[in-house]
Amino acid sequence: MPDVNAKQKVLVVGAGPVGALAALYAARRGDDVAVYELRDDLRDPSTTPLNFTKSINLALSERGINSMRHAKCEGLLDAVLKESIPMHGRMIHGRGQDGELYEEPQLYDAQGRYIRAVDRAMLNKRLLDYLEQMPNVTLHFNHKLTGADFKKNVAWFEQRTLAKTDHAQNPTGNAPKISDKDRPKEITVDFDFMIGADGAHSAARFHMMKFARLAYQQEYIDTLWCEFHINPRSSDSSFAISPNHLHIWPGGSFMFIAIPSMDKSFTCTLFAPESYFTALAPLSAKDFVSSFSKNFPGICPELISPEDLRQQFTDNPHLPLLSIKCTPYHYRSSVVIIGDAAHAMVPFYGQGMNAGLEDVRVLFDFLDAHDMYNESPKLATSRKERREGALNAYTSQRTPDAAAINDLALRNYQEMSAGVKSPLYRMRKWLEESVSLYLPSLGWSTQYSRVSFENQRYSEVEKAVARQGKMIIIGIGLGFVGLTGVTAFGLLRRSGLRPLKALLDNLRR
């Protein structure tokens, strides 16, 4: 018998941007939604961020914007975009052969489209504020998922009185010491459907692996990252460098980037092999600044004082970069994992959050397409059967897409750290943008534009760009053959057949 109960109980594990948006989608469809988060209220300034930094700026692009647009929460997208900063392209920094510092702008898109710098905490706050206003949503902070039975649809949480203050990627020993008598109270929660959006070190994924035959691949790349901060100009509190660019100091195997903030500062990140961090650490103050200035000219002392640079390097953690692929993303009709829980990626395409937000839109598109929210008693299948069909379809489509952007993000590190200075990179970018502008019927676009300004599936982007690359090589080859033929014909006309006869005579010998 089909069930016609309009409401289902949805458990969302993780109250970050992806989990909060998933909760909004479910609540807007009438579900009873309970959100459980390991940490304290993420809107509280005293809550320790996941990465121990005061703030982290993210690149918001079309996929994330489109996903919030489809949440149909009046005013949400406008509020987020109002607190974002347009970034029209990259600004490449370096020192010329004459010893002078230079800045070279590179537009992201020939059609003028741009990405936006947003503060993660601000975005999270806006989403949680909207959730809190909904009568069918409850928020539960300081709750750790300790177990789940996805056959009986039961979950267990530890209800903590002391917030978690360390991080799985960088344990600090700051976790509160708990005696047996003060051990957190455990609660049991029933649910119809769980959405795991609790990050790369996902508890939801861990417990799902006990039920699903999940193929799992985890890779730490040989690159660490450390956050730095550029203050506004002391003279007039304005931006120290252009606010409408993502600034890059490419260094080959390492790079330094800066993203603008609403307070007119810049959140910066050093990406480098572990050996580079190890080599910097013991240097004297003078040698430390000298090494930094050599590799990233124009940062110190121009933007960050020598004292601040050393202190930030010493005080801020040096964190690893993790890449995760797994499949399937669900178990039967009971649970699905999304965002970093399903496909954590390195940050070099600025798509981690955007892909996670897009997961939400794609997931609910499949749930809608499988009549999950159709209350008609004439349906021949139960809600659980329809949900399982939707989750099967979601995993089938999203797995290759997530794998594609995961790979693209890894490859983009080379482009950002070295390729942006390559003449071949610039030539291909110019050629693809020219075809896109002047021959739009061909449907050409750069890889970056397809990823950041369109909603084409990531796996289809990869295929389309590969086809364009082959056509460029063929075009260059034909052009070279044509030019060679014209040159040869001109020589023959000028000197007759004597050269050809001499060539044939040589071949006979």
Side-chain angles (χ1 to χ4, degrees), residues 80-382:
V80 171
L81 297 183
K82 186 178 179 181
E83 295 187 70
S84 69
I85 300 174
M87 294 190 293
H88 295 276
R90 298 165 175 160
M91 184 69 79
I92 310 304
H93 294 256
R95 192 183 299 278
Q97 293 182 349
D98 59 1
E100 295 296 317
L101 295 174
Y102 69 81
E103 294 181 343
E104 178 193 314
Q106 294 181 358
L107 287 178
Y108 281 131
D109 183 64
Q111 299 178 35
R113 293 174 291 185
Y114 53 85
I115 61 176
R116 294 172 180 268
V118 297
D119 178 74
R120 187 185 195 276
M122 177 281 296
L123 175 60
N124 218 154
K125 182 179 187 303
R126 293 287 168 264
L127 290 165
L128 291 174
D129 285 347
Y130 270 81
L131 274 178
E132 199 167 48
Q133 296 170 19
M134 305 191 77
N136 54 331
V137 176
T138 56
L139 301 176
H140 307 267
F141 297 102
N142 292 317
H143 281 71
K144 178 183 178 181
L145 178 66
T146 56
D149 186 330
F150 292 117
K151 291 182 178 179
K152 297 179 180 179
N153 285 15
V154 178
W156 294 273
F157 292 87
E158 277 186 357
Q159 190 174 0
R160 299 182 166 208
T161 55
L162 294 174
K164 182 176 173 62
T165 57
D166 71 343
H167 186 260
Q169 289 191 15
N170 187 46
T172 62
N174 292 332
K177 304 298 182 183
I178 302 172
S179 64
D180 288 339
K181 67 175 183 177
D182 295 325
R183 190 154 296 281
K185 173 186 175 184
E186 187 172 78
I187 61 172
T188 303
V189 182
D190 297 323
F191 61 89
D192 297 307
F193 180 35
M194 178 187 288
I195 300 175
D198 50 340
H201 300 277
S202 169
R205 183 186 65 232
F206 173 76
H207 294 298
M208 190 181 86
M209 291 173 76
K210 300 171 187 176
F211 294 84
R213 290 180 294 178
L214 190 140
Y216 179 79
Q217 176 185 335
Q218 174 177 300
E219 178 186 2
Y220 283 97
I221 68 170
D222 183 26
T223 300
L224 301 179
W225 67 276
C226 178
E227 185 176 288
F228 292 81
H229 194 75
I230 296 175
N231 291 319
R233 282 196 183 100
S234 57
S235 59
D236 58 2
S237 298
S238 63
F239 285 104
I241 47 181
S242 166
N244 298 122
H245 293 87
L246 187 153
H247 295 263
I248 303 178
W249 285 259
S253 63
F254 40 75
M255 67 176 176
F256 191 91
I257 68 170
I259 299 178
S261 301
M262 290 296 291
D263 64 359
K264 299 186 179 179
S265 67
F266 282 83
T267 299
C268 311
T269 311
L270 168 64
F271 296 100
E274 185 174 7
S275 58
Y276 183 77
F277 282 86
T278 303
L280 277 180
L283 293 180
S284 66
K286 181 180 178 181
D287 289 342
F288 181 89
V289 171
S290 176
S291 175
F292 223 90
S293 298
K294 176 184 175 183
N295 293 312
F296 311 113
I299 289 177
C300 182
E302 292 86 349
L303 300 174
I304 306 176
S305 71
E307 297 77 18
D308 282 349
L309 185 73
R310 185 60 182 260
Q311 183 173 355
Q312 291 180 48
F313 178 83
T314 303
D315 293 349
N316 292 339
H318 305 160
L319 297 172
L321 291 172
L322 175 65
S323 175
I324 289 174
K325 294 178 182 177
C326 68
T327 192
Y329 293 152
H330 74 287
Y331 176 71
R332 295 184 180 177
S333 65
S334 299
V335 59
V336 66
I337 52 175
I338 59 176
D340 283 355
H343 48 70
M345 65 191 72
V346 294
F348 305 122
Y349 230 121
Q351 285 295 303
M353 178 191 68
N354 289 286
L357 297 178
E358 188 179 56
D359 284 349
V360 176
R361 179 186 64 78
V362 174
L363 171 63
F364 279 87
D365 280 351
F366 278 114
L367 291 171
D368 291 342
H370 283 73
D371 290 319
M372 263 301 300
Y373 297 97
N374 187 337
E375 301 177 38
S376 172
K378 297 180 181 180
L379 291 171
T381 55
S382 69

